[in-house]
Amino acid sequence: MTQDELKLAVAQAAIAYVVEGEIVGVGTGSTANFFIDELAKIKHKIRGAVASSEATASRLRGHGIEVFDLNDVNAMPVYIDGADEITASGAMIKGGGAALTREKIVASVAKSFVCIADGSKLVNFLGKFPLPVEVIPMARESVIRALNVIGGDAKLRMKDGAALLTDNGNIIVDVHGLQIVDPVSLEAQINNIVGVVTVGLFAAQGATVCLLGTVDGVKTLQF
């Protein structure tokens, strides 16, 4: 099976976690896009969705799914999103699509987090995928220096010759070359650096379930 076929399989499996008559939190990225397309097939059964990025909101609206502002939502049964890496304990690296802050906010409101990923995303240690950190622009160099002290190689993420800007108007610094043994501790440490908005470690509040696409079918990991 191709990677896209694996992503489609987990997106289809995630529909079983959508609660009828409720609002669903929806993530950002290629796997989340497959889920949005599947969600559109049952849009008449849900109230709507909360989006973790402007791109996701646009795709949801394109399918005729109502998008709610998170400030108008008291609770959500489930948030469904992909991951760049995930461990057997449910800790994740997210932010390859630069939506980590909004993803973390929406996920924090949901009762459960269903991670949908192809089998290549399951790792023993986080860090082979560069760790994204959303940063206030004026703090770029001070944060990069602080991240380099922690370890790895912190680099500003670029797009089309300029610093990539998030939906929040901030920049992304990616930390390369890490092997993260204690993701909960590192998440707290990086979040405490002045100028950091949030780090793309989802460990203190990780996934509840992971639907993992493999050549042998979709495997369910409970955390």
Side-chain angles (χ1 to χ4, degrees):
M1 296 177 70
T2 66
Q3 192 172 38
D4 278 352
E5 288 171 334
L6 295 174
K7 291 178 179 181
L8 175 59
V10 294
Q12 292 171 334
I15 293 297
Y17 291 83
V18 174
V19 180
E20 289 191 18
E22 297 288 347
I23 294 171
V24 57
V26 183
T28 297
S30 58
T31 310
N33 284 342
F34 280 107
F35 171 70
I36 293 167
D37 296 344
E38 293 302 311
L39 187 64
K41 299 175 184 178
I42 62 161
K43 63 184 179 182
H44 58 287
K45 295 183 178 181
I46 61 171
R47 284 179 59 199
V50 171
S52 62
S53 66
E54 297 300 329
T56 290
S58 178
R59 195 178 188 97
L60 287 163
R61 292 190 182 104
H63 280 300
I65 298 171
E66 184 174 359
V67 177
F68 287 82
D69 186 307
L70 184 62
N71 291 309
D72 298 324
V73 176
N74 294 323
M76 289 181 296
V78 65
Y79 174 72
I80 297 174
D81 197 2
D84 298 303
E85 289 183 340
I86 185 167
T87 69
S89 62
M92 297 170 284
I93 284 181
K94 293 178 51 54
L100 59 157
T101 299
R102 295 192 184 193
E103 289 171 343
K104 192 170 280 191
I105 292 169
V106 179
S108 73
V109 176
K111 292 180 181 178
S112 64
F113 185 138
V114 177
C115 175
I116 50 177
D118 65 84
S120 69
K121 303 300 194 298
L122 183 64
V123 297
N124 292 323
F125 295 99
L126 300 173
K128 184 176 181 180
F129 188 92
L131 177 63
V133 183
E134 183 160 349
V135 178
I136 301 293
M138 71 171 292
R140 179 190 65 212
E141 293 305 316
S142 62
V143 169
I144 286 175
R145 288 193 295 270
L147 290 170
N148 284 336
V149 169
I150 289 173
D153 181 17
K155 296 180 179 179
L156 178 66
R157 189 183 300 184
M158 306 291 287
K159 182 178 181 181
D160 300 327
L164 179 146
L165 294 180
T166 70
D167 287 344
N168 308 311
N170 298 314
I171 58 175
I172 297 289
V173 173
D174 292 310
V175 188
H176 301 254
L178 294 174
Q179 186 178 69
I180 302 170
V181 177
D182 187 349
V184 174
S185 175
L186 186 62
E187 181 177 359
Q189 184 179 5
I190 294 177
N191 279 337
N192 281 330
I193 297 172
V194 176
V196 167
V197 180
T198 198
V199 61
L201 278 170
F202 287 58
Q205 185 177 346
T208 310
V209 176
C210 180
L211 303 177
L212 201 66
T214 76
V215 293
D216 298 319
V218 175
K219 295 184 178 180
T220 303
L221 308 178
Q222 300 275 356
F223 308 113

